[in-house]
Amino acid sequence: GWVYQLDVVTGQSHLVGCPRGFLVVNDSVATQTCFECPPTSYSVSPFDNCGVKSCVSRECNKCPQGLTCFGGSNFESSEAGDGSVWENVLEQGSLGKTMRVRLTSCAAGYVLVRGASPDQDACVACPSGTYSVTRATYRPPVMASESSSALVRDFDLCLACPPGALCSSGGDVKPYNNFWRGSNMLCGPDSCNSLSGQCDSTKCFEEEKFGQDLATNGRRQQQQCAGGKCRMVAMVYRCPPGVCFESNASSFVNNTCREGHMGPTCALCKGGWAMEARFCRECESDAKDAYALLVFCLLIVVLLLAWYSWAPLVAEVGWLSGVQSIVGSVNDMMDKVSAAMYVKEVVMKIMSKGNLLGYVKVLIGFWQVAGSFNLVFAVEWPKQLRDMW
């Protein structure tokens, strides 16, 4: 309430105190009062901007840009979610000392604007096409600016959105289709392109591992991050084709993976799934039967190809007639030549009369083309064919 002090000499009561949110006005006994601060202004001390001997009628502190003031000492952040933190600071007013609220911290995605005038203090979100994943602080100065017109400044304030992502405002970095939002990393200014927003992950550090492995990375960390030059940046990676799908959620969530895929960039398969032709395929219970059928079909194909591939060769070298003559004279030849010499003679005969190497090349080429068809042309085999194959 209102606090008075009795002057024993004059017998008058002088106003010496008011509730929070009011200003003491006591330059005259007749007009002394507690003046309540109206909306768009505030007071945290009843003696704000008082003179040395008394407090004259005066205005309350003007509401900062980053606050909404309801009058008295009641105020709140102008933007929900900006994470603003304020402190009381004793400053010089027009008549005397006054206690003002000044901004000290903002949430990630905001620039802390704090200049000479306390009226301009505010957490200002990074504009569209830029982002920040670092909390802004006044001490030490991180993501801090003296003017709301300077929100992008090289590697100090809001960063350019990385390729493959959409940055609407603040700290939202939403990957496009076929891209993946990775973990944030600590990067130095030399690791990133300030125009494109692209950062080299090989020159950055994972936050949880920063400062650990000093034996191998200690010197590089000290050089890149000396004086607090490093800051957290968003990492966006390209996924294998067709496995990362853009989310339709209004709030940020990372891309979803194709069924059976998991992990960073959806490049891994879940348990019970296996990679097949660029995609994860569920392992069925009758997999053994399918593989047995595959082996049987391959054997049949090999036999057919061998027969049709060698049939012209057999006809060309006259193998059937050669066999008949060989069988008829085998007894005579046993006494004349050894078995090794006979085999050599047959091989030389085939090589001299038939283009064996040409047939082998054709056979190998066929299997190479057939085996790489689905990879070269990115054609996914039908399920029925995959089960048979």
Side-chain angles (χ1 to χ4, degrees), residues 100-165:
R100 294 191 176 104
V101 291
R102 300 303 303 265
L103 184 62
T104 63
S105 179
C106 299
Y110 291 83
V111 176
L112 188 151
V113 177
R114 176 170 169 172
S117 172
D119 303 342
Q120 303 301 318
D121 286 12
C123 293
V124 182
C126 288
S128 178
T130 65
Y131 77 99
S132 172
V133 291
T134 304
R135 184 170 183 85
T137 58
Y138 182 69
R139 289 183 296 270
V142 177
M143 292 289 297
S145 175
E146 295 182 354
S147 172
S148 58
S149 61
L151 301 179
V152 180
R153 185 177 63 221
D154 296 330
F155 201 64
D156 296 332
L157 301 178
C158 300
L159 301 174
C161 194

Side-chain angles (χ1 to χ4, degrees), residues 109-261:
Y110 291 83
V111 176
L112 188 151
V113 177
R114 176 170 169 172
S117 172
D119 303 342
Q120 303 301 318
D121 286 12
C123 293
V124 182
C126 288
S128 178
T130 65
Y131 77 99
S132 172
V133 291
T134 304
R135 184 170 183 85
T137 58
Y138 182 69
R139 289 183 296 270
V142 177
M143 292 289 297
S145 175
E146 295 182 354
S147 172
S148 58
S149 61
L151 301 179
V152 180
R153 185 177 63 221
D154 296 330
F155 201 64
D156 296 332
L157 301 178
C158 300
L159 301 174
C161 194
L166 172 65
C167 301
S168 55
S169 64
D172 289 339
V173 182
K174 185 177 181 180
Y176 288 125
N177 204 27
N178 288 326
F179 285 87
W180 181 266
R181 169 77 183 275
S183 300
N184 299 330
M185 299 187 74
L186 276 169
C187 300
D190 297 334
S191 306
C192 301
N193 187 315
S194 59
L195 298 179
S196 67
Q198 181 71 48
C199 294
D200 186 354
S201 60
T202 61
K203 298 180 180 179
C204 301
F205 311 97
E206 296 182 21
E207 184 179 20
E208 60 272 15
K209 296 182 179 179
F210 179 73
Q212 296 179 4
D213 198 9
L214 294 178
T216 57
N217 293 327
R219 181 175 300 177
R220 185 163 67 95
Q221 293 175 2
Q222 293 175 1
Q223 291 176 348
Q224 290 189 211
C225 301
K229 293 187 296 183
C230 282
R231 59 175 299 183
M232 297 297 295
V233 300
M235 305 301 293
V236 178
Y237 306 95
R238 183 180 293 274
C239 298
V243 298
C244 294
F245 302 113
E246 187 175 0
S247 173
N248 294 324
S250 56
S251 59
F252 168 76
V253 293
N254 210 345
N255 283 349
T256 56
C257 295
R258 181 188 179 102
E259 184 182 7
H261 289 256

Side-chain angles (χ1 to χ4, degrees), residues 333-334 336-346:
M333 293 180 62
M334 288 296 293
K336 298 179 180 180
V337 296
S338 64
M341 293 298 295
Y342 172 70
V343 172
K344 179 180 179 180
E345 181 180 355
V346 172

Side-chain angles (χ1 to χ4, degrees), residues 16-85:
V16 295
C18 292
R20 181 182 173 91
F22 291 75
L23 294 180
V24 172
V25 179
N26 60 2
D27 59 327
S28 170
V29 175
T31 60
Q32 61 184 359
T33 184
C34 288
F35 173 71
E36 184 177 9
C37 294
T40 71
S41 66
Y42 74 96
S43 172
V44 293
S45 171
F47 298 100
D48 283 342
N49 214 17
C50 278
V52 177
K53 296 182 179 180
S54 62
C55 300
V56 299
S57 179
R58 62 206 183 277
E59 293 183 351
C60 298
N61 295 322
K62 186 178 179 180
C63 192
Q65 184 179 350
L67 291 177
T68 299
C69 298
F70 304 101
S73 61
N74 300 315
F75 50 78
E76 64 179 18
S77 177
S78 299
E79 183 175 348
D82 65 1
S84 60
V85 178

